[in-house]
Amino acid sequence: MSSTEQTAEQTSRPARLTAAAAVAGIEGLALMAGGLYVLVTGITGSPDDPTQAVMGGVTLIALGLIPGAAARGLLRRKGWSRGPAIITQILALPVAWQLLQANSAMIPAGIALAALAVTGLVLLVNPATTEALGIGRRGDA
C-alpha cells in the first residue's frame, strides 16, 4: 500500500461515524430548540414561576451543547467525543420511556427519541467507529 493510499484511508471517515455524528447533532439541536422555546415562553408568557422557566430553558440550551460538541468531535475523528455521545444516548432512553408513558401527542416524540438513541448507541459501539476514532488500538503509542 502506498503512502497516498494509506493517508487517504486514514483521512476517510466511515459512514457509521458520520451517521453517529448526525444523530448526536440532531439531539443537540433538538435540546437547544426546546430550551429556546421554554426560554422564550418563560419570558414572554405567563408561567407560574418565571425564574424556573428561564432556568429550565437555559439548562436545556446548555445541555444541547454537549451532544453538539460530541458531534463536532466525531466528525473530526476525536476519540474523546465518543464518551459524551454515548452518555447522551443512554440519558435519552429514560426520557423516551417517559414520553412513551404519556397519554398524549408526546408518544410519537418518544418513539422518535428511542429510535434515535438506540441507533446512536449501535453506531457508536460499532467496531468501524471505534477504529476510526483510534479507540481500543493496542500497540499504537
Side-chain angles (χ1 to χ4, degrees), residues 43-57:
I43 292 171
T44 61
S46 56
D48 293 337
D49 186 2
T51 305
Q52 186 176 3
V54 169
M55 283 308 298

Side-chain angles (χ1 to χ4, degrees), residues 19-96:
V23 168
I26 289 168
E27 290 171 339
L29 287 174
L31 278 167
M32 286 190 254
L36 189 61
Y37 173 77
V38 170
L39 183 64
V40 168
T41 56
I43 292 171
T44 61
S46 56
D48 293 337
D49 186 2
T51 305
Q52 186 176 3
V54 169
M55 283 308 298
V58 170
T59 301
L60 284 175
I61 291 169
L63 287 174
L65 295 174
I66 296 169
R72 184 173 181 192
L74 289 170
L75 286 174
R76 293 178 171 218
R77 295 176 64 169
K78 303 292 184 185
W80 62 262
S81 61
R82 184 172 172 247
I86 287 177
I87 291 169
T88 300
Q89 307 315 315
I90 291 171
L91 290 175
L93 291 172
V95 174

Side-chain angles (χ1 to χ4, degrees), residues 67-132:
R72 184 173 181 192
L74 289 170
L75 286 174
R76 293 178 171 218
R77 295 176 64 169
K78 303 292 184 185
W80 62 262
S81 61
R82 184 172 172 247
I86 287 177
I87 291 169
T88 300
Q89 307 315 315
I90 291 171
L91 290 175
L93 291 172
V95 174
W97 179 256
Q98 287 299 313
L99 291 173
L100 290 170
Q101 300 304 310
N103 291 327
S104 67
M106 296 309 287
I107 292 174
I111 293 169
L113 182 58
L116 207 58
V118 170
T119 301
L121 279 172
V122 168
L123 291 169
L124 288 165
V125 299
N126 187 282
T129 302
T130 56
E131 184 179 330

